[in-house]
Amino acid sequence: MKKLRTKMILGACVILAIAVIIFADRQQYGNEKGMVMEDFQLPMYEQDEGQLYDYQGDVIVLNLWASWCEPCRDEMPELMELQDEYAEKGLSIVTVNMQTTERTLNDAAQFIEEIDLTLPVFFDEDGELLERLRAKHGMPITYVIGREGEITEVFLGEVTYEMIEEEIEPLL
């Protein structure tokens, strides 16, 4: 009887150890530094739809913005410059316009045309991504995402060329 109980306890310990090994290696999905950015699929400016994971394997700078947001408007030229400078090294800067925060549905398109925005633009039309990322700290919000999908930095507020460059260079 004692041998059977000992075997059962050993078996349970082995199963528990295997479970810990399997599940400890998994990264958590979320919107904070150290987590893995979850994929999303959204309509895009002058395209049907796209996914964040279309850029998987690159270092990704994901920028959430609205056309009425002055810091969002101010940082776009520097983000475009960064993309031009680092694209060949595997950088993809992609943006998401938070449509539910816009005054009118045409505001984002007008801004894109006004500054001749060359970066890919996703449209979060129903606010689902905004809610999923719990992006309630205002805009802009910029995520730096490594080649494996892990968020390496989160910037709340306006970013500069130098701020992003400092974060991406070690990842490229």
Side-chain angles (χ1 to χ4, degrees):
M1 187 68 150
K2 286 185 178 182
K3 286 184 178 182
L4 180 60
R5 187 168 58 171
T6 303
K7 286 182 180 179
M8 288 178 60
I9 291 172
L10 280 173
C13 288
V14 168
I15 291 171
L16 182 61
I18 291 171
V20 166
I21 291 169
I22 290 172
F23 292 110
D25 220 18
R26 294 189 183 193
Q27 291 182 306
Q28 186 176 2
Y29 287 89
N31 66 341
E32 297 174 16
K33 190 173 177 176
M35 295 180 163
V36 174
M37 179 61 75
E38 190 174 347
D39 191 21
F40 57 79
Q41 183 171 351
L42 294 171
M44 297 186 74
Y45 180 70
E46 295 188 338
Q47 295 180 39
D48 290 331
E49 285 193 337
Q51 295 178 258
L52 179 64
Y53 283 9
D54 290 343
Y55 304 93
Q56 195 167 25
D58 284 356
V59 172
I60 301 170
V61 173
L62 176 65
N63 178 263
L64 311 182
W65 64 276
S67 65
W68 51 263
C69 164
E70 276 307 313
C72 301
R73 296 173 73 90
D74 293 343
E75 70 186 1
M76 282 299 172
E78 292 192 40
L79 291 175
M80 288 189 289
E81 186 180 342
L82 268 164
Q83 180 62 53
D84 291 343
E85 184 71 27
Y86 287 95
E88 290 182 13
K89 293 182 179 179
L91 176 69
S92 289
I93 299 180
V94 297
T95 69
V96 181
N97 174 258
M98 299 295 138
Q99 286 276 290
T100 56
T101 70
E102 293 289 354
R103 292 181 185 109
T104 74
L105 292 179
N106 295 328
D107 288 351
Q110 287 174 348
F111 173 68
I112 291 167
E113 292 167 12
E114 175 186 318
I115 67 162
D116 194 23
L117 185 59
T118 57
L119 303 170
V121 179
F122 290 96
F123 289 116
D124 185 19
E125 293 177 330
D126 58 10
E128 182 180 321
L129 184 63
L130 184 69
E131 181 64 31
R132 189 178 342 154
L133 294 177
R134 297 178 299 283
K136 297 178 178 157
H137 302 287
M139 283 184 267
I141 301 173
T142 304
Y143 297 91
V144 178
I145 305 166
R147 294 184 189 275
E148 302 298 319
E150 181 179 330
I151 299 168
T152 61
E153 190 57 72
V154 180
F155 294 101
L156 304 176
E158 185 176 346
V159 295
T160 64
Y161 184 103
E162 293 77 18
M163 290 167 68
I164 298 295
E165 184 177 50
E166 185 177 323
E167 292 299 324
I168 64 170
E169 279 194 335
L171 303 173
L172 294 171

